[in-house]
Amino acid sequence: DAGITQSPRHKVTETGTPVTLRCHQTENHRYMYWYRQDPGHGLRLIHYSYGVKDTDKGEVSDGYSVSRSKTEDFLLTLESATSSQTSVYFCAIRDGTGVAYEQYFGPGTRLTVT
Amino acid sequence: SQQGEEDPQALSIQEGENATMNCSYKTSINNLQWYRQNSGRGLVHLILIRSNEREKHSGRLRVTLDTSKKSSSLLITASRAADTASYFCATTEAGGTSYGKLTFGQGTILTVHP
């Protein structure tokens, strides 16, 4: 499982509240990614990181921010949760070598915004 | 919009039969990958095929890539009930950085009946 954990695994929150999801890896991988998965949309990239303090936006970044202050943790924050952010969120990592493109996924966080 | 579109959206077969899933994409790619997702779990990497390869095998999996048609197929031979899962193709765009961002298709739900 590439040593990836996500917390919490399930969360129910109210509209307008801030939420932070955590992705933790134990194998010192350089690249980390946050995706959301919704029926009919597959997985869509929210943000990604290519090193400590180095992050960039993905396809669906509006309403989300990220931080990576150390290699092992990549945090995804919903500043003010909305019902459209109800989804399953997956973190993934990738080895840093130039030709290794396989990504390894965490178990997911199911977020419900009421 | 999704880079990869998969066909069929759902496939139901009997154990022992072969299962074929197709993926189409829109831009030039560096590589194409296939992932499996069991219900309620994270994605698991199955196989990667580079843009200069036409066919690749891994156990009971066979992947083909036709860059002129911007399409790929995943064949699972002698399917088993344990192959029941969702299957996703994902592409890495050519000419991009080494950040390895993936664009996923919407997936094919495979059900293998014992």
Side-chain angles (χ1 to χ4, degrees):
Chain A
D1 63 358
I4 307 168
T5 57
Q6 292 184 233
S7 58
R9 294 293 314 280
H10 301 272
K11 186 169 182 67
V12 180
T13 192
E14 293 185 349
T15 298
T17 59
V19 177
T20 295
L21 308 183
R22 180 185 184 228
C23 177
H24 179 78
Q25 56 134 335
T26 59
E27 298 185 1
N28 211 36
H29 293 289
R30 177 181 176 188
Y31 298 97
M32 299 183 76
Y33 309 83
W34 275 108
Y35 295 89
R36 60 178 290 174
Q37 184 176 30
D38 305 289
H41 289 279
L43 277 83
R44 293 178 291 175
L45 181 65
I46 306 172
H47 281 279
Y48 63 99
S49 169
Y50 46 96
V52 173
K53 292 187 169 52
D54 292 323
T55 65
D56 205 349
K57 296 178 180 180
E59 180 186 359
V60 289
S61 60
D62 287 349
Y64 301 94
S65 63
V66 289
S67 66
R68 191 166 179 203
S69 58
K70 45 187 179 177
T71 300
E72 57 266 36
D73 288 325
F74 191 31
L75 304 180
L76 177 70
T77 297
L78 291 66
E79 301 289 348
S80 178
T82 67
S83 59
S84 65
Q85 294 176 311
T86 292
S87 186
V88 181
Y89 291 86
F90 287 99
C91 173
I93 58 91
R94 182 171 77 86
D95 192 0
T97 57
V99 296
Y101 285 97
E102 298 86 350
Q103 292 187 13
Y104 298 90
F105 286 78
T109 294
R110 183 172 295 276
L111 176 67
T112 303
V113 184
T114 61
Chain B
S1 63
Q2 289 292 303
Q3 162 79 316
E5 299 296 331
E6 293 176 70
D7 169 56
Q9 291 188 341
L11 181 61
S12 182
I13 60 174
Q14 295 295 128
E15 219 168 17
E17 294 180 341
N18 295 342
T20 300
M21 289 160 266
N22 303 296
C23 168
S24 61
Y25 56 91
K26 296 179 180 145
T27 64
S28 295
I29 62 171
N30 183 300
N31 63 71
L32 185 145
Q33 304 176 44
W34 286 89
Y35 288 81
R36 184 188 74 225
Q37 183 181 34
N38 291 93
S39 181
R41 308 289 292 272
L43 278 73
V44 174
H45 180 265
L46 294 176
I47 194 166
L48 179 151
I49 187 165
R50 303 190 190 284
S51 59
N52 60 354
E53 298 176 311
R54 291 298 166 256
E55 187 171 313
K56 201 160 183 182
H57 296 256
S58 177
R60 293 184 297 113
L61 304 180
R62 172 178 169 255
V63 171
T64 61
L65 179 65
D66 187 334
T67 53
S68 67
K69 295 181 180 178
K70 290 187 169 57
S71 67
S72 173
S73 67
L74 172 67
L75 168 67
I76 304 174
T77 59
S79 62
R80 305 165 182 168
D83 294 328
T84 293
S86 293
Y87 292 81
F88 295 89
C89 68
T91 55
T92 303
E93 196 167 341
T97 64
S98 63
Y99 299 151
K101 294 183 289 180
L102 291 178
T103 303
F104 283 86
Q106 296 180 16
T108 293
I109 300 171
L110 173 65
T111 303
V112 181
H113 300 280

